[in-house]
Amino acid sequence: MVEDKPMLLPPDCDNRTDRTADAAAGRGAAQQPSGHAYRALKTLSAGNHVLLHSSDEQQLLDRMCKVIVEEGGYPLAWVGYAENDERRSIRPVAHAGVGVGLVDALRLTWADEGIGRGPTGTAVRTGEPVIARNLHGDPDLVDARNLLVERGLPDYASAAVFPLRVDGQVLGNLSIYADEPDAFDEAEVRLLRELAEDLAFGIASHRTRVRHEAAERTIEHMAFHDAVTGLPNRLRLREVLEAAIVRSRDTHRPLALLVLKVEHFQEITDSLGYREGEHLLIEIAARLAPLVRDGELLARGAEDEFVLLLAGGGANEAIEAAKRLIGGLNESIELCGLMVNARVSIGIALCPGHGSDPDSLLRRASVAAMEARRSAAGYAFYVGSLDQDHTRRLALMGDLRRAIADNELQLYCQPKVCIATRKLCGAEALVRWPHPRLGMIATGEFVRLAEHAGLISPLTHWVLDAAFSQAYAWHDAGCRQPLAVNLSAHDLRDPLLFDHIKGLFATWGLPARAIQFELTESALMEDPGGAQQTLARLKQLGVELYIDDFGTGYSSLSYLRHLPVDAIKIDQSFVASMIASDDSAIIVRSTIELGHNLDLRVIAEGVENARIWDRLAVLGCDVAQGYYVSPPLPAARLRDWKQSSPWR
Ligand code: C2E
Ligand code: CA
Ligand code: CA
């Protein structure tokens, strides 16, 4: 394969011709095709077959070169692709015939210099066929030819190089060689040119097919995968779940479905924005994905929900998987510069025990996930009776969201009285929800509902706004008693809580003593380290902090000692029963002693009658709160109450 100086085809050779022997020969119908045209014609028809029967691009190229050599009898054929690299190299991609080993070694280019001006480079650069009929006779090529012949390349006498054009662009070349000089007459060239065009068309078709297939795969991927996390979506999950249920039935093996609800998702998107919410989901998915084992499927079930399908797994396997996934989310995730705990509550439903159709399994695992929020383990199995309860709760959640937004809640408060002086010394803010249809909803119920529905931040923010406004009104009127606001476990993780409170102090210009915070012992124990940090920040504001419902949260003395709190409130269940139950009486007495030993004030809640009051007075309890003093009343009425009550 000697690269000689190019000779561009005369324009009359440019026209495509019919595939007939006559046209191929370029003569009248009565004449026979020349030997040259005849071999080209054979090649063309064999090439047609290749075109129709090749399954991919490389096979097409390989087979095309092969038929040119085997059917056409040409000694060498090869195809190169033009690269757009710096050298403008021509990369051989297929070849057949004698001397193929040297094609690679030639390092051809299509640059307009040196070897690039040979037939191959010229054909690629100009997009026109280049025919060299007398490689031997070109004095300029003697040295180059000798060099190649020395390296073992047969001494071809003629070459025809055709550009491969796809969509108007030259993709590469088809080069065909002949042993004899003066090969590739006009008729032969026409036919071979047609062959090259067919080849280019075949390449384009394969590429289009590949692109279509890729597009189809993308479309299918999009239909069955979640765009945010890349995990299979609910649609795909359902498909797989349906098949798994059938298999489970056939093989008599159980199946477990785990629904992972992301904690505080709503709060995070509400406070930090939608994108941070997505970022959280992506991070969680990235941490969960490596924990998924063969045969398990992790999918995105809903906005704040992942689902793990455990085909062939029962209760034990489900617990093992739940622990594995919870363990994978130990480290906090950074969002907007804040470290957020990525926690999930996992609900488990088993097939066939809890259901044997996709919908009920998914629904029941979701219900169980709600319950899991209350459990220390972080996971819970579906329990039959929850379902009906759940329906009511779902309806209420929607109502609650609206009630908060529409300002339908009311601020109540309950007085606290100093036992020694019998004087009002503060009040606790208690929220009320008069439901337009259902009447007053029990506060405990809807606060828990808010915790489940990710509504605790909006609720707390509402109460804070109302409490600051009320405290300001009291201070303005000369009533100086502090107002205590309850914070939930979820609030302790609300990244915006602290700034909100600071902003309210600035807005109303209230002194720190005007507002206090009550945090239940169990809320503190949910995340002792995190709670300590939040309390420390609140304490920086100068406010008093109370541990609420003390005695129900199993905190250790050493932990308590390190918390920046000012007082403890003995849970009303002990106080209300301290007359009737010796156990309760002992707990109340020892809690008072414990508190005082730690230099904390002690408040008893649930003081329902004078006997309890008297007993607490003897035990040295500092403050009492309960029906004996007053039930909770609308906050705005506290001043009137104070005027007319003995507890001034
Ligand atoms: P808590 O903080 O322990 O509030 C005291 C609860 O005991 C109040 O119930 C109050 O009405 C009730 N109570 C008061 N005196 C007596 C008494 O002498 N005997 C008995 N048996 N009960 C008495 P409420 O208002 O229904 O609140 C229930 C719980 O809901 C509260 O318990 C608190 O944990 C939560 N909660 C109430 N308001 C809020 C709020 O604004 N934010 C948050 N995060 N939680 C709140
Ligand atoms: Ca409280
Ligand atoms: Ca309490």
Side-chain angles (χ1 to χ4, degrees):
M1 179 177 45
V2 178
E3 296 288 305
D4 72 353
K5 282 190 295 193
M7 183 184 87
L8 295 183
L9 265 196
D12 64 339
C13 287
D14 276 357
N15 305 326
R16 264 182 89 102
T17 53
D18 289 327
R19 292 179 185 186
T20 64
D22 297 335
R27 304 186 211 112
Q31 289 169 304
Q32 289 295 308
S34 71
H36 286 163
Y38 192 70
R39 65 181 174 184
L41 195 60
K42 268 174 69 189
T43 311
L44 188 59
S45 73
N48 258 326
H49 184 81
V50 167
L51 201 64
L52 291 173
H53 293 97
S54 298
S55 56
D56 61 46
E57 184 175 331
Q58 188 61 47
Q59 193 183 55
L60 169 69
L61 300 173
D62 291 338
R63 289 188 177 173
M64 196 58 97
C65 290
K66 198 161 169 239
V67 301
I68 294 170
V69 171
E70 290 179 1
E71 303 292 326
Y74 298 95
L76 169 64
W78 68 279
V79 174
Y81 279 171
E83 298 290 341
N84 276 313
D85 55 3
E86 211 173 315
R87 263 195 79 237
R88 304 195 158 184
S89 38
I90 292 177
R91 178 169 55 91
V93 286
H95 38 225
V98 208
V100 291
L102 281 174
V103 175
D104 285 325
L106 272 177
R107 300 196 74 233
L108 293 174
T109 96
W110 55 280
D112 194 6
E113 57 190 23
I115 202 166
R117 291 190 177 145
T120 309
T122 308
V124 168
R125 197 169 52 253
T126 60
E128 295 297 335
V130 177
I131 309 303
R133 292 208 172 89
N134 189 3
L135 298 172
H136 294 172
D138 193 328
D140 293 349
L141 290 173
V142 171
D143 290 348
R145 266 184 50 223
N146 285 345
L147 189 75
L148 291 177
V149 170
E150 268 170 35
R151 294 175 68 177
L153 196 73
D155 198 8
Y156 304 120
S158 315
V161 183
F162 301 91
L164 294 173
R165 284 169 170 274
V166 171
D167 297 333
Q169 271 207 316
V170 180
L171 181 82
N173 61 286
L174 168 65
S175 299
I176 302 173
Y177 292 76
D179 290 318
E180 70 283 8
D182 293 326
F184 305 116
D185 61 23
E186 214 182 294
E188 185 176 17
V189 165
R190 276 201 195 113
L191 288 164
L192 292 179
R193 183 175 189 164
E194 196 166 337
L195 180 78
E197 283 170 8
D198 287 351
L199 178 60
F201 170 78
I203 293 169
S205 308
H206 280 300
R207 291 189 177 181
T208 306
R209 205 198 64 223
V210 167
R211 271 201 305 276
H212 281 176
E213 282 171 1
E216 268 169 29
R217 275 198 303 277
T218 309
I219 291 167
E220 190 183 284
H221 187 87
M222 280 163 60
F224 288 105
H225 288 79
D226 163 44
V228 175
T229 61
L231 291 175
N233 61 14
R234 200 173 174 89
L235 205 62
R236 175 83 186 128
L237 171 71
R238 274 194 69 100
E239 256 189 21
V240 177
L241 181 57
E242 259 166 35
I245 290 171
V246 171
R247 243 191 345 271
S248 147
R249 202 176 297 143
D250 292 347
T251 56
H252 307 293
R253 297 196 60 198
L255 171 158
L257 196 68
L258 283 71
V259 163
L260 292 74
K261 278 223 179 285
V262 178
E263 296 279 333
H264 316 304
F265 183 73
Q266 189 67 46
E267 293 155 53
I268 286 169
T269 46
D270 283 353
S271 53
L272 298 181
Y274 185 67
R275 289 184 61 125
E276 290 305 311
E278 283 196 350
H279 178 62
L280 177 72
L281 294 175
I282 292 169
E283 263 302 314
I284 293 179
R287 291 178 189 197
L288 294 179
L291 304 173
V292 177
R293 299 199 175 144
D294 276 353
E296 300 176 355
L297 177 83
L298 179 69
R300 170 120 183 251
E303 195 185 24
D304 60 346
E305 201 178 280
F306 294 91
V307 181
L308 186 80
L309 169 62
L310 222 76
N316 288 341
E317 288 81 1
I319 291 175
E320 182 279 321
K323 287 182 176 166
R324 183 174 6 118
L325 298 179
I326 289 171
L329 297 175
N330 271 340
E331 284 183 18
S332 39
I333 290 173
E334 192 180 329
L335 293 179
C336 285
L338 298 162
M339 297 312 285
V340 175
N341 283 337
R343 290 166 41 133
V344 292
S345 303
I346 303 185
I348 305 169
L350 301 167
C351 170
H354 296 145
S356 43
D357 68 281
D359 281 332
S360 52
L361 282 172
L362 280 165
R363 191 160 32 86
R364 292 181 169 172
S366 276
V367 172
M370 304 279 245
E371 286 311 303
R373 288 185 164 164
R374 292 192 211 169
S375 84
Y379 62 84
F381 283 91
Y382 172 71
V383 181
S385 63
L386 296 174
D387 228 357
Q388 207 178 4
D389 202 22
H390 179 61
T391 313
R392 172 186 145 90
R393 264 199 257 158
L394 270 182
L396 270 185
M397 272 181 198
D399 292 352
L400 179 57
R401 192 183 291 277
R402 191 191 33 77
I404 296 171
D406 295 354
N407 210 19
E408 265 176 26
L409 304 181
Q410 294 175 355
L411 188 73
Y412 272 55
C413 74
Q414 186 173 35
K416 297 175 182 175
V417 168
C418 172
I419 295 180
T421 63
R422 300 179 83 87
K423 280 197 163 135
L424 179 73
C425 63
E428 176 179 3
L430 293 163
V431 62
R432 292 291 180 263
W433 180 20
H435 190 284
R437 245 180 331 105
L438 304 171
M440 206 58 111
I441 309 276
T443 305
E445 182 185 4
F446 80 82
V447 168
R448 215 168 35 244
L449 188 72
E451 281 167 350
H452 281 172
L455 287 173
I456 206 70
S457 284
L459 177 73
T460 301
H461 287 209
W462 186 93
V463 174
L464 281 168
D465 292 348
F468 270 81
S469 161
Q470 182 61 65
Y472 175 79
W474 287 341
H475 271 245
D476 204 34
C479 301
R480 305 273 155 179
Q481 72 279 342
L483 183 57
V485 174
N486 288 285
L487 296 180
S488 286
H490 294 251
D491 290 319
L492 295 178
R493 293 184 291 261
D494 173 3
L496 298 185
L497 177 78
F498 180 75
D499 286 337
H500 188 77
I501 293 171
K502 225 168 112 176
L504 284 170
F505 270 116
T507 305
W508 294 101
L510 284 171
R513 65 171 186 285
I515 298 291
Q516 303 168 332
F517 293 103
E518 297 187 5
L519 303 103
T520 62
E521 189 188 14
S522 52
L524 298 176
M525 293 314 288
E526 261 189 37
D527 176 17
Q532 201 159 1
Q533 277 183 14
T534 312
L535 292 194
R537 292 192 81 190
L538 288 174
K539 199 65 209 163
Q540 277 172 12
L541 295 173
V543 295
E544 288 205 338
L545 303 176
Y546 289 61
I547 299 184
D548 205 354
D549 298 353
F550 189 80
T552 59
Y554 312 107
S555 57
S556 72
L557 194 59
S558 63
Y559 174 64
L560 272 186
R561 207 192 288 279
H562 291 107
L563 288 180
V565 294
D566 302 278
I568 49 181
K569 294 183 80 172
I570 311 175
D571 189 63
Q572 54 181 290
S573 60
F574 304 119
V575 177
S577 62
M578 67 185 283
I579 303 296
S581 153
D582 286 345
D583 285 347
S584 295
I586 291 169
I587 290 173
V588 171
R589 194 184 64 211
S590 56
T591 307
I592 294 171
E593 279 170 12
L594 169 77
H596 286 166
N597 285 339
L598 292 173
D599 278 338
L600 303 173
R601 269 175 295 127
V602 181
I603 290 138
E605 56 183 15
V607 181
E608 291 184 344
N609 52 52
R611 287 182 71 192
I612 299 177
W613 173 283
D614 292 341
R615 207 46 177 276
L616 289 167
V618 170
L619 294 173
C621 187
D622 302 287
V623 175
Q625 177 184 349
Y627 297 161
Y628 177 58
V629 177
S630 163
L633 44 112
R637 282 199 10 225
L638 184 80
R639 278 180 59 217
D640 291 344
W641 171 85
K642 192 180 163 190
Q643 303 295 323
S644 59
S645 81
W647 318 93
R648 290 167 194 244

